[in-house]
Amino acid sequence: MQLYLVDCQFTDTDNQIAAYKQFVKFWENGEMSKQDNFDGFEMLFRVHAPGEGRVVILCNANGDKELFQHFAPWRAQFGIDMEITPVISCQNVVDYHKELFEKMS
């Protein structure tokens, strides 16, 4: 699986309020935990900056299909702008650079 950083930005306050109403409902009835973890997708971390209309997510996904499956309904319903960036872990940085430095010497 690939690690992804997802930066979500609400486009207006009305959509943000509507999205949080659904989020609270899904969180309390257990639906959010189902959406956050399914075959090929795993939510690792989600933080909210509601004053900025922003949510930042770190997740693992097999690829674009799983990303679409998780994020598309939120974007379609609430007009959330999403920037999705593949990222690597600290251990990946160490491993990749060790290999690079070895080749360079």
Side-chain angles (χ1 to χ4, degrees):
M1 285 211 283
Q2 172 66 50
L3 193 60
Y4 293 93
L5 179 68
V6 184
D7 195 348
C8 307
Q9 185 72 50
F10 289 99
T11 56
D12 66 60
T13 305
D14 290 337
N15 281 343
Q16 181 181 0
I17 290 168
Y20 273 120
K21 285 181 180 180
Q22 183 166 313
F23 183 84
V24 168
K25 178 182 171 185
F26 282 4
W27 187 268
E28 290 184 336
N29 71 15
E31 177 62 28
M32 204 70 245
S33 65
K34 293 176 191 172
Q35 288 187 20
D36 283 350
N37 292 289
F38 57 87
D39 190 33
F41 184 90
E42 177 188 18
M43 177 71 61
L44 300 173
F45 198 73
R46 180 193 289 120
V47 292
H48 303 262
E52 294 180 15
R54 186 172 177 212
V55 179
V56 178
I57 293 166
L58 186 64
C59 62
N60 270 318
N62 283 345
D64 57 352
K65 180 180 179 183
E66 291 79 11
L67 291 170
F68 182 86
Q69 190 174 347
H70 180 80
F71 293 109
W74 291 94
R75 187 180 191 294
Q77 291 177 65
F78 306 111
I80 302 168
D81 287 337
M82 298 181 183
E83 186 175 312
I84 301 173
T85 306
V87 295
I88 59 176
S89 69
C90 292
Q91 187 61 57
N92 290 139
V93 168
V94 170
D95 294 343
Y96 299 167
H97 280 84
K98 282 172 63 176
E99 185 177 317
L100 173 64
F101 298 151
E102 214 172 273
K103 289 179 181 178
M104 291 173 62
S105 59

